[in-house]
Amino acid sequence: MSVLRLAIPSPLRRLFDYLPPEDLPLAEVDKLAPGTRLLVPFGRRKVTGYLLEVAQASDVARGQLKRALTVIDQQPALPADLLQLCLWASNYYHHPQGEVFSAAFPRRLREGKERQPPGQAGWTLTTQGKGLPAGALQRSPKQALALALLQNGQPVSAARLQAEAISPAVLRALAEKGLIERCTIAAETRPASSRPGLNPTDEQARVLSALRADATGFKCHLLEGVTGSGKTEIYLQLITDCLARGQQALVLIPEIGLTPQTLRRFEARFDADIAVLHSGLTEAQRYQSWEAARAGTAHIVIGTRSAVFTPLANAGLIIVDEEHDGSYKQQDGFRYSARDVAVKRGQLLGCSVLLGSATPSLESMHNALSGRYHHHRLTARAGTAQIPELSVLDVRKKPLSAGLSAELVAAIKAALDRGEQALLFLNRRGYAPVLQCHDCGWISECNACDARMTVHRRENRLRCHHCGARHTLPADCPHCHSKHLLAKGLGTEQTEVRLRELFGRYPVFRVDSDSMQGRDSMAALTEEINRGEPAILLGTQMLTKGHHFPAVTLVAVLDADALLFSADFRGEERMAQLLTQVGGRAGRANLPGRVMLQSHYPDHPSMQQMLTAGYAEQARNMLELRKQGGLPPFGQIVVLRADCSDARYTEDFLAQLRQEVGTSLPAGVSLIGPLPSPMQRRAGRHRFQLLATALDRKRLHNAASLLISRAESMKVRKGLKWSVDIDPQDLF
Ligand code: ADP
Ligand code: ZN
Ligand code: ZN
């Protein structure tokens, strides 16, 4: 008896056994390969299942086994290396296999639709058709002609048959006789070529030759290069080599905003097919890219987080740009890190992985410094650009108007007068973070969250940035009906208004997720800015990532203090990365740049380190502190989070779980909690967490398995949800 063992998208962490479809001959059953999709009944639904093995027995009694309905794929939809990668990820992240497979597939295939590999529709002879004696079908000359064209055994495209005046009806008639069948004629992979690159600087040349010496087989490289040092040029030259070897390159980038710019640079360098994969595309476009990558007709694949699961026919190189970026970590459902998965993928494929950043994560830094990764550095900017001058602007006791000090206003004016651009960073969108009644003290709190609602003046609303709640901006206080309401604190909308008052002659571009709605707005803006006319750019984090704005010479952080006092252990790392990246937007071309940080704490040690040491040294110091504290990357963390509408019940669930695990916990693993999450109530749900920490990853992994199996066996109320996060980015 053959049993099909399938992964099914469901929260259950196990595989499901099915009998093969009724009409499938036994010989065919045993030929089914892992990675093949099948349509199966699951509860009351029909779902797509992913075959992992054909077993000869099942723990389920035969009478209880359900039958799979149909085999969807002729060939496994997922190649072997990706199958292995998914299994690894499911194991490492303790996430149900079926859901991991789902994440690896484009939606179309997840929904069980048939594949449409790139290529032309065509017709080919069936076995029966091949056995036909020459001169058959004389009475139907059109059918005879069609057969004659197919006779040499090669498939012929539908277009070619049409050109020979053979109608679809003729082909259908032949198909009905069982003589011919439809097929897809695989697209030809055309050779790719590259245009000459820039003449490398000495530093670049050294890095390139080190990387080239190790070009084949699995190696992980960290390229730590200051902003504007020519990391992208290194990527381009390595991809040139990769294409010349006839292999494909996979390039991961953090944000959609970066795609147009990156894409343009790649298109200028390569005469090659570039497949793009990110959430801003339509489903059909994304699917096409996926198939082109799978078939090998795409030479270069560029995409955001989930593109790490793109199948590649012939992989030669994986690049993760801005590897420190938080968006590589998925924050819900299947909580994987695309950077870490990329490294594992390189290992499975036997190809090099290159992680690049001006501000590497402490994890990668540690791997590089301890010799696990090859470490390469670029310490100077390429071309004529200089590292910008960094200074703190002490704003204590100084009047601020919409967050702008007089000194900063003067600096902006000077930049504009010189015909240059200024970039201002303020990581808070909206007009003001809170609305308050001056008469009774009422505050615009969200009903569903432990958070305040943000004033959005332009759309005349109060909005909660955590649960999405929206209300019309009240004209008077809901509590005492006073008209005296104050918008307190600062957001980008407010500063935008002030900047327009001050610098009406110049355009002010606000860049945040409110103003940058829609697929192409960032591309359009980038184009506008790169015309190089004097202008002010004001934005949130969205504005800081990797962009290359040659005319920006002044960068200012309006509220550097906002980053200084984070409760999270990664707070200082994030601040250092963010400030360095923001600063890195200044003076990237021929003009010298300047970075000003407005702060009330100019003497704070973190601030001082930023000024005097720079990221590379600061990172090494932060690593030392992490080591002393047993924190990542030295110690490991797993978070088990739970939430439901009842605070007491949620906390009790975790407390009970902790007790259940009790003395079975592996030695060296400590549990902390249950603790309320930093924002305990969000969207009406109360959130608590249990932290497991250990120095040894294996033991922590075992502890995670134990926690999960106990949690699964506990009876809980319907509304309670829990989840596991391995290597969490935030302890929220
Ligand atoms: P990064 O990716 O490190 O931020 P880029 O590769 O974008 O750096 O390079 C920054 C700028 O320097 C770009 O305008 C790029 O064209 C230029 N550049 C890079 N390498 C060289 C080189 N070898 N010679 C001249 N200009 C270079
Ligand atoms: Zn009031
Ligand atoms: Zn809310």
Side-chain angles (χ1 to χ4, degrees):
M1 163 171 115
S2 294
V3 174
L4 308 181
R5 195 148 290 159
L6 303 184
I8 306 271
S10 102
L12 300 174
R13 286 173 170 80
R14 62 182 191 85
L15 298 177
F16 295 85
D17 289 355
Y18 283 87
L19 294 170
E22 195 102 59
D23 52 355
L24 198 66
L26 207 59
E28 299 290 313
V29 173
D30 291 328
K31 269 194 269 172
L32 287 177
T36 302
R37 292 174 303 146
L38 290 103
L39 187 69
V40 298
F42 190 72
R44 260 174 282 163
R45 295 173 304 143
K46 291 176 189 168
V47 303
T48 309
Y50 309 96
L51 181 70
L52 288 183
E53 92 180 283
V54 181
Q56 296 314 316
S58 172
D59 294 339
V60 184
R62 197 187 158 94
Q64 306 278 315
L65 280 176
K66 287 193 190 155
R67 217 169 250 295
L69 301 169
T70 47
V71 178
I72 302 169
D73 299 310
Q74 303 307 312
Q75 300 290 322
L78 220 55
D81 76 282
L82 261 188
L83 195 76
Q84 247 183 308
L85 186 72
C86 288
L87 293 175
W88 172 84
S90 157
N91 182 48
Y92 183 86
Y93 291 107
H94 293 265
H95 198 74
Q97 285 169 336
E99 290 192 354
V100 174
F101 282 106
S102 272
F105 277 103
R107 190 197 300 163
R108 196 193 141 79
L109 301 188
R110 239 181 289 153
E111 287 171 350
K113 300 210 177 81
E114 274 190 46
R115 285 183 53 201
Q116 286 177 337
Q120 276 184 297
W123 291 87
T124 181
L125 289 180
T126 60
T127 321
Q128 196 189 338
K130 282 179 191 151
L132 213 62
L137 297 177
Q138 286 299 6
R139 273 190 293 156
S140 170
K142 284 284 182 194
Q143 291 187 17
L145 174 61
L147 280 181
L149 286 168
L150 289 163
Q151 214 72 56
N152 72 355
Q154 294 298 320
V156 175
S157 72
R160 167 86 204 288
L161 292 166
Q162 198 183 1
E164 299 282 345
I166 294 166
S167 70
V170 170
L171 296 166
R172 267 201 307 276
L174 285 169
E176 271 160 27
K177 288 178 185 159
L179 299 174
I180 66 170
E181 62 189 358
R182 287 177 193 279
C183 68
T184 303
I185 304 167
E188 293 271 321
T189 308
R190 68 181 180 103
S193 62
S194 314
R195 294 175 195 101
L198 299 170
N199 209 0
T201 62
D202 287 350
E203 270 194 326
Q204 282 173 325
R206 231 173 299 131
V207 169
L208 276 168
S209 77
L211 283 161
R212 282 180 173 137
D214 256 336
T216 52
F218 169 67
K219 297 263 163 36
C220 190
H221 302 272
L222 175 66
L223 175 55
E224 180 189 2
V226 298
T227 55
S229 59
K231 294 182 292 297
T232 311
E233 182 61 29
I234 301 249
Y235 305 156
L236 295 173
Q237 301 212 11
L238 288 179
I239 294 171
T240 297
D241 300 352
C242 174
L243 298 182
R245 295 194 300 268
Q247 294 183 307
Q248 293 169 287
L250 172 63
V251 183
L252 299 183
I253 52 173
E255 293 279 321
I256 304 178
L258 293 186
T259 338
Q261 212 170 0
T262 310
L263 198 61
R264 229 167 298 137
R265 221 160 142 189
F266 277 62
E267 280 168 350
R269 180 64 59 89
F270 303 111
D271 180 17
D273 288 321
I274 302 176
V276 184
L277 283 147
H278 60 70
S279 54
L281 299 175
T282 66
E283 201 52 45
Q285 287 170 322
R286 240 185 334 208
Y287 174 64
Q288 252 175 14
S289 295
W290 191 89
E291 286 288 2
R294 169 108 168 76
T297 57
H299 303 103
I300 302 170
V301 179
I302 302 179
T304 46
R305 182 173 60 221
S306 64
V308 73
F309 291 105
T310 314
L312 299 165
N314 185 13
L317 175 66
I318 300 175
I319 292 171
V320 184
D321 189 25
E322 310 287 356
E323 67 85 32
H324 65 280
D325 199 288
S327 67
Y328 283 124
K329 177 82 195 257
Q330 175 136 320
Q331 300 286 12
D332 54 8
F334 172 27
R335 295 173 166 80
Y336 67 98
S337 150
R339 178 202 54 218
D340 296 348
V341 172
V343 174
K344 183 67 193 178
R345 181 139 196 225
Q347 194 190 351
L348 291 172
L349 286 168
C351 76
S352 303
V353 179
L354 176 59
L355 312 179
S357 175
T359 53
S361 63
L362 294 187
E363 279 77 5
S364 297
M365 203 70 143
H366 177 56
N367 281 326
L369 295 174
S370 66
R372 203 168 314 145
Y373 293 173
H374 298 245
H375 194 186
H376 312 272
R377 292 185 68 178
L378 295 172
T379 57
R381 283 196 160 176
T384 48
Q386 297 294 308
I387 301 276
E389 177 200 325
L390 189 70
S391 60
V392 171
L393 220 168
D394 183 353
V395 292
R396 279 175 298 188
K397 297 187 187 163
K398 301 212 174 114
L400 296 175
S401 167
L404 307 162
S405 64
E407 233 171 312
L408 178 55
V409 169
I412 298 171
K413 180 166 185 309
L416 293 170
D417 287 347
R418 290 193 303 269
E420 297 162 6
Q421 297 172 348
L423 183 155
L424 312 180
F425 175 74
L426 177 61
N427 215 11
R428 221 175 300 117
R429 64 198 165 89
Y431 186 85
V434 64
L435 188 68
Q436 186 175 36
C437 173
H438 196 52
D439 290 350
C440 78
W442 170 85
I443 270 177
S444 58
E445 279 173 333
C446 177
N447 290 329
C449 308
D450 293 335
R452 282 134 181 218
M453 298 189 82
T454 302
V455 180
H456 285 257
R457 185 152 281 174
R458 188 166 302 175
E459 49 177 89
N460 199 33
R461 280 203 170 119
L462 279 176
R463 277 169 50 184
C464 173
H465 289 177
H466 304 282
C467 71
R470 288 155 191 248
H471 305 304
T472 307
L473 203 60
D476 46 26
C477 170
H479 190 67
C480 76
H481 304 292
S482 153
K483 296 255 178 238
H484 206 161
L485 294 176
L486 310 170
K488 292 183 86 170
L490 191 61
T492 47
E493 226 184 277
Q494 192 177 144
T495 307
E496 179 193 11
V497 172
R498 183 73 190 130
L499 286 168
R500 285 192 203 284
E501 287 165 9
L502 287 168
F503 302 104
R505 272 197 311 136
Y506 298 101
V508 177
F509 299 108
R510 175 160 62 95
V511 183
D512 56 32
S513 56
D514 296 324
S515 64
M516 290 289 116
Q517 298 275 328
R519 230 167 257 166
D520 301 322
S521 38
M522 194 68 203
L525 180 81
T526 309
E527 202 149 301
E528 177 69 35
I529 295 167
N530 283 346
R531 289 197 359 236
E533 301 294 319
I536 303 173
L537 287 142
L538 165 71
T540 57
Q541 198 140 351
M542 212 180 202
L543 194 54
T544 63
K545 296 189 175 175
H547 294 291
H548 187 62
F549 300 131
V552 169
T553 56
L554 172 69
V555 166
V557 177
L558 297 191
D559 184 10
D561 303 340
L563 304 159
L564 218 44
F565 303 102
S566 161
D568 198 276
F569 74 89
R570 288 186 210 272
E572 189 183 354
E573 177 186 357
R574 294 256 170 69
M575 165 178 161
Q577 288 167 340
L578 192 64
L579 292 183
T580 310
Q581 294 286 349
V582 180
R585 300 313 111 207
R588 287 176 60 94
N590 303 322
L591 305 163
R594 183 169 173 208
V595 183
M596 298 169 93
L597 311 176
Q598 293 196 137
S599 171
H600 291 89
Y601 303 90
D603 304 323
H604 191 287
S606 300
M607 203 68 85
Q608 281 302 316
Q609 274 219 339
M610 285 275 332
L611 293 183
T612 53
Y615 186 82
E617 198 180 322
Q618 201 179 354
R620 285 156 180 81
N621 291 334
M622 288 187 282
L623 269 174
E624 195 49 47
L625 292 176
R626 295 272 186 97
K627 189 174 185 176
Q628 287 163 18
L631 287 164
F634 299 94
Q636 316 297 330
I637 302 182
V638 170
V639 188
L640 201 140
R641 298 188 181 88
D643 64 66
C644 93
S645 54
D646 180 340
R648 184 66 181 275
Y649 188 78
T650 317
E651 192 173 9
D652 285 351
F653 165 75
L654 290 178
Q656 199 192 333
L657 175 61
R658 181 176 181 154
Q659 205 159 31
E660 294 256 338
V661 173
T663 51
S664 336
L665 204 66
V669 178
S670 352
L671 289 183
I672 305 167
L675 297 169
S677 302
M679 184 186 294
Q680 193 207 308
R681 196 173 51 115
R682 192 162 84 191
R685 301 181 69 86
H686 292 268
R687 304 146 73 236
F688 287 81
Q689 55 195 23
L690 196 58
L691 254 67
T693 63
L695 289 175
D696 182 80
R697 188 173 277 291
K698 251 250 161 64
R699 291 185 185 190
L700 191 62
H701 183 91
N702 293 338
S705 299
L706 182 69
L707 282 165
I708 290 166
S709 74
R710 291 294 156 89
E712 279 178 335
S713 67
M714 280 166 65
K715 278 226 173 340
V716 292
R717 215 187 269 176
K718 202 154 171 261
L720 184 125
K721 293 207 180 82
W722 59 268
S723 64
V724 183
D725 192 351
I726 310 288
D727 308 331
Q729 274 295 307
D730 303 287
L731 297 182
F732 288 100

